[in-house]
Amino acid sequence: WDPRSPEGPPPLERRPSRAETGPSLGEQPRPSTRRGHRGGRSSGPPPAPTAPTESSTVGAGDFLASLPPELTVEEEDLAAAVVSFLEEWARNHDGERPNLVHLGADAHVRDTKATALPREVPLKTWLKQRFSNDVEVRGQAIILKSQEKS
């Protein structure tokens, strides 16, 4: 084809899609990743979230065991965020106790946790092992000990 030709470029040829032709020679077929796709194969429901594995729990224990006896500066910030959240909660929720979901949903707690702890260390584990003088975890409920006495 000559770009200076008055006839213009030749018409584009439509190539069949991979879905129409199937996998190339030697290529394994890939499952559909589109939601709601109703192709020939059913991918089934999404996998259920998994509980922490023993290796991730061991990693959390190893990290916590490696810390000094006193809270680190980052842990102090996390502790302050937790106390602030619990005090604010007590002012706004007469007699109702917050749970770990409420605590973990607080942006300041989330941010300070991300700075202080690796992802594999659950907040509940940190509260029980490193902040138990000030906070008690009862099941999923979080109790500030200074409020419990009053």
Side-chain angles (χ1 to χ4, degrees), residues 10-16:
L12 292 176
E13 212 175 289
R14 183 184 172 284
R15 300 170 101 185

Side-chain angles (χ1 to χ4, degrees), residues 69-120:
E70 302 81 26
L71 295 180
T72 65
V73 172
E74 293 83 5
E75 286 180 297
E76 289 283 350
D77 292 343
L78 176 55
V82 168
V83 169
S84 175
F85 170 83
L86 293 173
E87 289 173 344
E88 180 73 21
W89 181 277
R91 283 192 293 274
N92 296 322
H93 298 84
D94 189 36
E96 185 183 342
R97 291 194 172 133
N99 62 36
L100 287 165
V101 173
H102 298 125
L103 184 62
D106 182 75
H108 188 54
V109 170
R110 270 194 328 265
D111 292 344
T112 55
K113 179 192 180 287
T115 302
L117 307 174
R119 180 172 269 165
E120 66 268 6

Side-chain angles (χ1 to χ4, degrees), residues 15-30:
R15 300 170 101 185
S17 71
R18 190 172 291 228
E20 294 170 324
T21 62
S24 300
L25 184 60
E27 182 180 17
Q28 295 295 317
R30 292 185 283 169

Side-chain angles (χ1 to χ4, degrees), residues 31-43:
S32 172
T33 56
R34 290 189 347 228
R35 291 181 180 249
H37 176 67
R38 302 220 184 261
R41 286 176 279 166
S42 171
S43 60

Side-chain angles (χ1 to χ4, degrees), residues 48-62:
T50 59
T53 63
E54 187 176 320
S55 63
S56 70
T57 305
V58 169
D62 289 344

Side-chain angles (χ1 to χ4, degrees), residues 52 82 85-86 89 96-105 122-125 127-128 135-144:
V82 168
F85 170 83
L86 293 173
W89 181 277
E96 185 183 342
R97 291 194 172 133
N99 62 36
L100 287 165
V101 173
H102 298 125
L103 184 62
L123 186 57
K124 182 178 183 177
T125 302
L127 290 168
K128 287 178 145 187
V135 171
E136 183 179 347
V137 179
R138 290 185 195 161
Q140 293 294 307
I142 311 296
I143 298 128
L144 187 60

